[in-house]
Amino acid sequence: MKSITSILAVVAVGATLAMADDKPATPAEPAAPAPATTPAATTPAAPEATPAKPKRDPADVFRKLNTAGDGKLTLEEYLAGKHAQKDPDKAKAQFKKADKDGKGYLTVEEFSAMGHKKADAQ
């Protein structure tokens, strides 16, 4: 009786492993479209649009720019970002507009509320 139980256990494990190795069938590749013979087919196709970069979390960008780590993003820290280096005057104006309370620094809430491209901290 023990040998029958052992043999059935081995067969069950073997069947399970055999099923685990099976890969699901992949869908067939779509057939290439037949070349058109109309004059429109001879014009070059428009280049495909490149996928947009995923938006970064403003809080993550804030933490990277806030080099002092005090939760207060100063104008100097903001100007150190890539975005600000491209156009420092525009960056200064954006900073002053975002600094709602006029304290000379941005909180993470003020920075997140800017609502436009953030300074990249890369």
Side-chain angles (χ1 to χ4, degrees):
M1 189 66 165
K2 286 184 182 180
S3 63
I4 291 175
T5 307
S6 298
I7 291 171
L8 289 176
V10 169
V11 170
V13 170
T16 303
L17 292 176
M19 293 173 82
D21 282 346
D22 290 342
K23 293 182 181 177
T26 57
E29 294 284 329
T37 57
T38 60
T42 60
T43 59
E48 292 184 24
T50 57
K53 288 184 179 180
K55 291 189 178 186
R56 296 182 57 186
D57 180 30
D60 289 339
V61 176
F62 180 88
R63 281 191 292 275
K64 287 188 180 196
L65 289 174
N66 183 23
T67 55
D70 57 0
K72 300 175 182 178
L73 184 64
T74 64
L75 178 60
E76 291 77 23
E77 290 172 326
Y78 183 74
L79 293 177
K82 271 187 184 179
H83 177 266
Q85 291 174 0
K86 291 178 185 174
D87 190 354
D89 293 331
K90 184 177 177 181
K92 287 178 187 177
Q94 291 171 338
F95 183 90
K96 289 179 182 180
K97 184 177 178 182
D99 184 16
K100 301 290 184 192
D101 54 12
K103 292 184 178 178
Y105 61 85
L106 299 179
T107 62
V108 69
E109 292 82 15
E110 289 173 326
F111 183 81
S112 297
M114 289 173 78
H116 61 320
K117 285 187 175 180
K118 307 296 187 278
D120 287 332
Q122 296 175 350

